[in-house]
Amino acid sequence: VHPPPIQRLVTELGKLPGIGARTAQRLAFHILRSDDADALGLADAIREVKSQIGLCEVCFNLADGPRCRMCQDERRDGALICVVEEPQDVIPIERTHEFRGRYHVLGGALSPIDGVDPDDLKIAELLVRVEEGEVREVVLATNPTTTGEATALHIGEALRQRAPEVAVTRLASGLPVGADLEYADEVTLGKALAGRRAL
Ligand SMILES: [Zn+2]
């Protein structure tokens, strides 16, 4: 139907989450109508984010250098580590203003059905970090889903064996079960953080 360059744009936009074929087409025509500065600005922003953003060498959060902003911030408590599944889970926790420690981003959750094993996540790196650093407490803030709970239990067990002196806590209940952390409102999440309990 479309000339190949337009079809290509529609196809690429259609790969984005939540974008169906009709929306992809509408966006493609919007981009075509936009002036060059706006349209090429979008293309440049995508190119820049892909070339400049990588993972923090300490916590595996997103970073535009070797270390993320949280790992560089000397005012944050390095003895307190909050473990999350994905980089986007850091944002709602930061928004609560309840947490002044550092993070550790696993890169997913354990899910044998989907072929996600402990080796696929940054679990070994977390254990080394806890063993080598002066860590007082690890807060397991994986999602309140089946895979998130399984991941928290697995890490809790590994920490008990490798670093028994470190407190391991889990977010208090009250979060919507089955939902991802990123959809939790900050008041509920703040309460869950403040009321965290031993795992
Ligand atoms: Zn970091």
Side-chain angles (χ1 to χ4, degrees):
V1 217
H2 303 305
I6 300 179
Q7 189 52 51
R8 181 182 171 198
L9 182 57
V10 171
T11 304
E12 293 302 323
L13 290 166
K15 293 177 184 173
L16 297 172
I19 305 291
R22 287 175 66 167
T23 306
Q25 182 162 301
R26 203 166 68 232
L27 289 171
F29 281 98
H30 174 82
I31 290 168
L32 272 170
R33 270 197 314 273
S34 308
D35 56 40
D36 285 6
D38 284 343
L40 299 178
L42 174 63
D44 282 345
I46 293 171
R47 199 166 286 121
E48 189 173 72
V49 87
K50 292 307 290 179
S51 67
Q52 294 186 9
I53 302 295
L55 298 183
C56 171
E57 63 186 9
V58 177
C59 75
F60 305 98
N61 192 6
L62 298 176
D64 60 358
R67 293 195 179 195
C68 73
R69 276 183 307 139
M70 280 90 169
C71 287
Q72 286 180 55
D73 187 348
E74 293 295 330
R75 292 164 303 175
R76 299 188 76 111
D77 183 359
L80 181 59
I81 295 179
C82 181
V83 177
V84 295
E85 293 182 22
E86 302 284 357
Q88 61 262 35
D89 297 330
V90 169
I91 299 157
I93 294 174
E94 283 297 292
R95 241 187 255 131
T96 66
H97 301 292
E98 282 284 341
F99 185 75
R100 295 302 297 163
R102 304 262 167 95
Y103 289 92
H104 191 89
V105 181
L106 296 170
L110 291 178
S111 180
I113 295 171
D114 303 310
V116 183
D117 300 316
D119 288 349
D120 298 315
L121 306 177
K122 303 292 185 193
I123 294 175
E125 290 84 347
L126 172 67
L127 297 176
V128 169
R129 209 178 148 192
V130 171
E131 278 179 335
E132 289 182 350
E134 282 169 16
V135 177
R136 182 178 71 244
E137 179 185 348
V138 175
V139 185
L140 298 172
T142 50
N143 290 328
T145 56
T146 315
T147 55
E149 296 294 350
T151 308
L153 288 176
H154 176 90
I155 294 175
E157 188 53 43
L159 283 169
R160 255 192 299 279
Q161 287 180 14
R162 296 266 295 264
E165 73 288 356
V166 173
V168 180
T169 56
R170 181 88 176 106
L171 297 181
S173 50
L175 293 170
V177 173
D180 284 1
L181 224 55
E182 56 178 319
Y183 302 118
D185 71 89
E186 58 214 56
V187 174
T188 307
L189 186 53
K191 281 183 187 162
L193 260 171
R196 62 188 186 267
R197 53 190 160 69
L199 183 78

